[in-house]
């Protein structure tokens, strides 16, 4: 009974089996080699694109969480972290018609000590200091006047009064683990104390922002605490000026008034532009370009392998294709056979390539200690690239079909 | 009854300039429905060229060539492809697809005819393979078959869609004496049963007895043109 059903199914399939499938699966070893080739190309592309996504991951976290309509940044700053402008410009901006408020955000970096390392008895007298220097764990400091909140993070704004205490900071619970188990310590003890740039800080609350390849974590503090850390004159150098406009004021008009009033050393950007500038900066870094190049190499390797496989297939079977033409198969049907072979190879190779890339991601995440996750968008990107790759190879290999002349079969 | 194939003043030339050389000169020939015609002649005399022209595998240069009542001279590519689908070809080499089993190879020519339902493929292919004595080898791949068996699969493939015209070019030349004889006997029997016209090119004078008519070609010309037309 089962056997006859299977038999019927087999006959059903055989009558409909695409020639491309038969052609590809007939030589198992060659099919395996082709699949491995495509999979290898996939792993290359996946790794590069994954690293690239990691590079860009979260770079717009801060711009995305600012409160304001327009933002002032130094025209000479390559990105949001690395530049500042005199605070007087902020006062000038505040005086411009249509601007309701102008509040400063200060961004800095500080070495953060894992509180567990702090409490642990040092194994030898000289080691603790040097080990901190060997593995600096820096955090990004976001400082602002607690009476002029500039962050659009509810948890920060709810706990903003706590920031007035000396040495008080709010800690980003999404910071990397190497900074210490701050969230659980905080829950156990109701407060955590550690060293930041060799000064005592007290974690008085938690919020959620996220870490990136460049920033291990974030810390929010009041401008007064910031001045204690870096010196009072650091308050004179604003990193980002967050402007809110009065209701009903036209954004573009306000922007041109601001740009006309302020020194050309200051740029006026919308939130979207601020985020875009951040991404453009990361893309311009050599590592971003290197990874693009790596992905391209993977693409080309796959292209060559698939082309090689299809070309050999057509060349080896030239008399057979010529026979099919003589029997009355049209060129377009045979062309479709080759393209189908290319697409089947793309799908068959993508599956192991995808699985292996999972392993590679896991390995990389273990080595770099940065969570590298398989994103659907990247997977989709790579799959489409694979289809394009195989499609191009197929389209080139199809030319070989022309040399199959049906008049030559006799 | 009008002839199945009608050729008038057909001339074909290969090469250009100094290399230009006529291969067929002034051919006139009719093939009637249901007759088996053998075409013999020395190697290089133009037999294969004539066959490829009749089978719409080459474009006609000068003269007139009508197959199934359709003029092929100046015909469009789609017309040529349509004509090929209605002709059964048997080649010197079997030219089976190595990735398909015997019956799948046979059904490759059924796939060209949309009027034949897919569920009938296997039955028709198996019946045809039985007719050529290969009922045991239905699911075998070509690499598992002997030369004579492969050629018989090729015959099954050429005949399974009941073409009105079969063109065979030295189908026995790669076979030993006995399997060559078997192959032509099968062709003769099936041609009679199906009532199709066969034009068979051969050097092999042991098989001339199956023919209704024997033509011989020399230097691109049929020797006695006036007997070629019905
Ligand atoms: N594609 C071609 N180009 C040029 N010359 C050809 C071509 N095909 C065949 N010929 C020449 O045409 C002549 C007739 O060939 P052919 O029809 O194959 O003869 P036969 O089948 O009788 O042996 C031969 O001299 C051969 O060299
Ligand atoms: Mg020949």
């Amino acid at each position: 009974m089962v056997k006859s059903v299977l038999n019927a199914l087999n006959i059903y399939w055989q009558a409909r089996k695409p020639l491309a499938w038969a052609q590809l699966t007939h030589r198992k070893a060659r099919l395996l080699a082709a699949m491995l080739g495509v999979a290898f190309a996939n792993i290359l592309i996946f790794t590069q694109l994954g690293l690239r996504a990691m590079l860009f991951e979260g770079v717009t976290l801060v711009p995305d969480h600012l409160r304001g309509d327009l933002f002032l940044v130094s025209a000479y700053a390559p990105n949001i972290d690395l530049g500042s402008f005199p605070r007087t410009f902020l006062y000038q901006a505040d005086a411009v018609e249509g601007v309701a408020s102008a509040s400063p955000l200060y961004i800095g970096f500080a070495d953060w000590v894992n509180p567990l390392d702090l409490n642990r008895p040092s194994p030898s007298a000289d080691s603790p200091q040097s080990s901190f220097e060997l593995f600096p764990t820096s955090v990004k400091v976001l400082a602002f006047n607690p009476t002029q909140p500039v962050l659009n993070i509810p948890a920060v704004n709810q706990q903003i009064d706590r920031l007035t205490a000396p040495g008080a900071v709010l800690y980003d619970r999404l910071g990397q683990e190497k900074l210490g188990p701050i969230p659980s310590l905080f829950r156990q003890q109701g407060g955590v104390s550690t060293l930041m740039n060799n000064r005592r800080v007290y974690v008085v609350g938690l919020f959620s922002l996220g870490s990136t390849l460049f920033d291990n974590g974030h810390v929010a503090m009041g401008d007064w605490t910031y001045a204690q850390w870096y010196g009072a004159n650091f308050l004179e150098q604003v990193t980002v000026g967050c402007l809110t406009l009065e209701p009903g004021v036209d954004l573009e008009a306000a922007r041109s008034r601001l740009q006309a009033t302020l020194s050309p050393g200051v740029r006026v950007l919308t939130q979207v532009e601020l985020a875009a500038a951040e991404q453009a900066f990361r893309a311009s870094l050599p590592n971003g370009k290197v990874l693009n190049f790596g992905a391209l190499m993977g693409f080309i390797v796959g292209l060559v392998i698939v082309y090689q496989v299809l070309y050999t297939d057509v060349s080896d079977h030239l008399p057979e294709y010529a026979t099919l033409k003589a029997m009355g198969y049209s060129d377009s049907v045979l062309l479709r056979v080759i393209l189908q072979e290319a697409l089947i190879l793309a799908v068959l190779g993508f599956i192991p390539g995808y699985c292996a890339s999972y392993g590679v991601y896991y390995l990389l995440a273990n080595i770099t200690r940065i969570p590298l996750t398989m994103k659907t968008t990247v997977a989709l990107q790579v799959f489409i690239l694979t289809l394009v790759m195989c499609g191009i190879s197929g389209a080139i290999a199809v030319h070989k079909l022309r040399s199959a002349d049906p008049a030559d079969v006799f | 009854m009008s002839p199945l194939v009608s050729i008038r003043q057909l001339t074909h030339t290969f090469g250009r300039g100094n290399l230009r050389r006529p291969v067929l000169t002034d051919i006139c020939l009719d093939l009637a429905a249901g007759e088996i015609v053998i075409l013999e002649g020395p190697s290089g005399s133009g037999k294969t060229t004539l066959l490829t022209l009749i089978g719409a595998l080459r474009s006609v240069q000068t003269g007139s060539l009508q197959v199934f009542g359709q003029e092929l001279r100046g015909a469009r590519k789609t017309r040529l492809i349509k004509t090929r689908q209605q002709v059964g070809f048997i080649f010197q080499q079997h030219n089976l697809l190595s990735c398909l089993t015997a019956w799948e190879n046979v059904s490759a020519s059924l796939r060209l005819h949309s009027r034949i339902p897919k569920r009938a493929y296997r039955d028709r292919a198996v019946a045809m393979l039985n007719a050529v004595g290969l009922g045991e080898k239905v699911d075998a791949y070509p690499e598992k078959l002997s030369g004579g068996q492969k050629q018989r699969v090729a015959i099954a493939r050429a005949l399974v869609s009941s073409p009105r015209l079969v063109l065979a070019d030295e189908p026995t030349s790669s076979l030993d004496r006995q399997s060559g004889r078997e192959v032509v006997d099968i062709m003769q029997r099936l041609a009679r049963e199906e009532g199709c016209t066969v034009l068979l090119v051969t050097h092999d004078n042991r098989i001339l007895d199956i023919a209704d008519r024997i033509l011989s070609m020399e230097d691109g010309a049929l020797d006695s043109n006036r007997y070629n037309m019905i």
Side-chain angles (χ1 to χ4, degrees):
Chain A
M1 176 62 195
V2 173
K3 213 174 157 203
S4 67
V5 168
L6 282 182
N7 208 24
L9 276 178
N10 190 32
I11 289 169
Y12 181 89
W13 160 243
Q14 278 179 313
R16 286 159 182 80
K17 176 163 64 180
L19 183 57
W21 177 262
Q23 203 75 277
L24 269 183
T25 51
H26 185 60
R27 296 250 155 74
K28 300 280 187 295
R30 188 186 285 176
L31 173 67
L32 195 72
M35 276 171 62
L36 286 182
V38 175
F40 176 68
N42 274 329
I43 295 171
L44 271 175
I45 301 175
F46 259 122
T47 310
Q48 311 296 331
L49 288 188
L51 289 174
R52 207 170 154 275
M54 199 166 86
L55 211 61
F56 281 92
E57 179 79 343
V59 295
T60 62
L61 272 179
V62 173
D64 288 344
H65 288 89
L66 289 180
R67 181 185 280 184
D69 301 310
L70 284 173
F71 300 88
L72 305 183
V73 290
S74 164
Y76 312 113
N79 87 328
I80 192 171
D81 305 334
L82 308 172
S84 59
F85 59 89
R87 187 148 73 150
T88 41
F89 293 152
L90 204 57
Y91 297 139
Q92 288 173 8
D94 204 3
V96 168
E97 186 197 333
V99 176
S101 72
S103 320
L105 171 72
Y106 305 94
I107 298 181
F109 292 88
D111 281 342
W112 177 270
V113 176
N114 182 341
L116 294 184
D117 290 342
L118 208 60
N119 299 337
R120 198 173 291 152
S122 36
S124 65
D126 58 337
S127 77
Q129 202 57 38
S130 66
S131 79
F132 294 151
E133 248 130 46
L134 261 178
F135 303 104
T137 46
S138 78
V139 288
K140 191 188 260 189
V141 176
L142 305 171
F144 53 93
N145 184 339
T147 62
Q148 297 174 303
V150 294
L151 293 180
N152 212 352
I153 306 170
V156 170
N157 295 329
Q158 280 154 21
Q159 307 179 76
I160 215 154
D161 330 330
R162 302 191 190 170
L163 288 181
T164 44
V169 297
L170 297 175
Y171 182 83
D172 177 9
R173 63 163 69 81
L174 298 180
Q176 283 189 25
E177 263 169 43
K178 61 182 171 187
L179 300 177
I182 314 292
S184 61
L185 286 176
F186 183 81
R187 246 180 287 116
Q188 285 159 22
Q189 306 166 4
V192 181
S193 157
T194 188
L195 289 179
M196 195 171 86
N197 273 6
N198 289 329
R199 278 166 169 266
R200 261 293 148 198
V201 285
Y202 302 95
V203 175
V204 296
L206 300 173
F207 66 99
S208 302
L209 189 60
S211 58
T212 72
L213 190 60
F214 309 95
D215 305 315
N216 302 312
H218 294 92
V219 155
M221 60 162 66
D223 55 353
W224 192 71
T225 321
Y226 183 76
Q228 282 190 318
W229 247 265
Y230 296 93
N233 43 359
F234 266 75
L235 290 185
E236 295 308 315
Q237 291 295 320
V238 175
T239 317
V240 184
C242 306
L243 311 182
T244 50
L245 300 181
E246 281 158 5
V249 172
D250 179 59
L251 195 78
E252 282 309 316
R255 192 220 287 258
S256 33
R257 277 198 297 275
L258 281 163
Q259 203 69 78
T261 315
L262 297 173
S263 135
V266 177
R267 282 206 296 165
V268 187
L269 301 176
T270 64
Q271 195 150 16
V272 175
E273 290 166 349
L274 198 63
E278 204 57 24
Q279 267 172 339
F281 169 69
R282 296 299 175 195
S284 71
L285 292 181
N287 16 6
K289 287 181 185 158
V290 166
L291 293 173
N292 278 342
F293 183 71
L296 184 71
M297 287 308 288
F299 187 82
I300 291 173
V301 166
L303 203 76
V304 171
I305 293 175
V306 175
Y307 171 73
Q308 195 60 40
V309 168
L310 294 177
Y311 182 86
T312 330
D313 176 71
V314 179
S315 313
D316 286 2
H317 299 106
L318 219 50
E320 298 182 11
Y321 284 115
T323 306
L324 289 174
K325 282 190 186 180
M327 286 165 62
Y329 279 85
S330 64
D331 290 358
S332 62
V333 168
L334 297 182
L335 197 133
R336 227 176 303 150
V337 169
I338 306 298
L339 288 184
Q340 266 175 14
E341 283 188 41
L343 295 188
I344 292 172
L345 273 184
V347 175
L348 286 187
F350 182 79
I351 296 166
Y354 177 81
C355 297
S357 302
Y358 237 105
V360 170
Y361 275 20
Y362 180 78
L363 216 69
L364 276 177
N366 257 345
I367 295 168
T368 60
R369 298 236 139 255
I370 290 185
L372 182 58
T373 48
M374 178 66 80
K375 287 218 193 61
T376 329
T377 48
V378 173
L380 207 69
Q381 242 176 340
V382 176
F383 184 61
I384 290 171
L385 273 179
T386 311
L387 288 181
V388 171
M389 176 178 94
C390 293
I392 294 176
S393 303
I396 307 175
V398 150
H399 276 281
K400 185 70 188 165
L401 265 185
R402 286 188 204 286
S403 46
D405 184 353
D408 289 342
V409 251
F410 280 111
Chain B
M1 208 169 86
S2 67
L4 205 67
V5 175
S6 174
I7 303 174
R8 293 290 178 274
Q9 278 91 43
L10 181 70
T11 295
H12 200 83
T13 317
F14 281 126
R16 285 167 188 281
N18 285 343
L19 298 172
R20 193 174 159 86
R21 208 162 55 79
V23 176
L24 296 176
T25 39
D26 214 16
I27 303 281
C28 294
L29 171 66
D30 286 328
L31 297 179
E35 67 171 342
I36 298 179
V37 178
I38 282 184
L39 178 60
E40 54 157 21
S43 179
S45 58
K47 306 181 297 291
T48 298
T49 307
L50 180 61
L51 227 59
T52 55
L53 282 165
I54 299 173
L57 304 180
R58 258 184 225 293
S59 306
V60 177
Q61 292 171 347
T62 45
S64 159
L65 168 57
Q66 289 185 9
V67 179
F68 311 134
Q70 300 269 359
E71 176 61 56
L72 290 188
R73 184 179 170 191
R76 289 176 178 280
K77 183 127 198 208
T78 48
R79 170 92 258 136
L80 296 181
I81 288 176
K82 271 240 156 56
T83 306
R84 291 175 197 170
Q85 292 175 353
Q86 294 170 294
V87 175
F89 291 100
I90 301 167
F91 312 99
Q92 198 164 345
Q93 266 83 42
H94 55 84
N95 285 326
L96 297 178
L97 269 66
S98 57
C99 64
L100 299 179
T101 62
W103 89 265
E104 287 170 342
N105 262 295
V106 174
S107 76
S109 78
L110 293 175
R111 286 185 187 216
L112 286 164
H113 302 273
S114 51
R115 67 190 152 80
I116 302 172
K118 287 191 189 314
R119 68 192 129 73
Y121 284 3
R122 182 160 169 113
D123 290 343
R124 284 190 71 153
V126 170
M128 204 64 219
L129 284 168
N130 272 321
V132 297
L134 283 178
E136 305 284 290
K137 303 286 183 185
V138 166
D139 291 307
Y141 283 94
E143 63 208 24
K144 294 271 187 288
L145 300 175
S146 71
Q149 289 172 329
K150 281 189 258 202
Q151 195 58 293
R152 282 189 272 162
V153 176
I155 291 172
R157 176 175 66 180
L159 297 180
V160 72
S161 48
S162 310
R164 282 186 288 162
L165 175 63
V166 172
L167 301 174
D169 195 0
E170 306 190 32
T172 59
S173 69
S174 62
L175 304 178
D176 62 58
R177 221 187 115 211
Q178 198 198 331
S179 38
R181 185 73 227 180
E182 279 168 18
V183 161
V184 286
D185 283 344
I186 289 167
M187 281 176 62
Q188 184 188 26
R189 177 165 53 79
L190 294 174
R192 293 276 182 255
E193 281 170 18
E194 304 265 337
C196 68
T197 307
V198 176
L199 178 60
L200 194 154
V201 168
T202 188
H203 283 312
D204 189 350
N205 44 24
R206 290 170 312 215
I207 63 173
L208 299 181
D209 57 289
I210 67 163
D212 299 322
R213 190 151 59 113
I214 298 173
L215 307 171
S216 69
M217 185 173 249
E218 201 148 355
D219 277 342
L222 290 174
D223 60 351
S224 49
N225 263 345
R226 61 209 146 89
Y227 298 120
N228 299 334
M229 285 177 279
I230 319 164

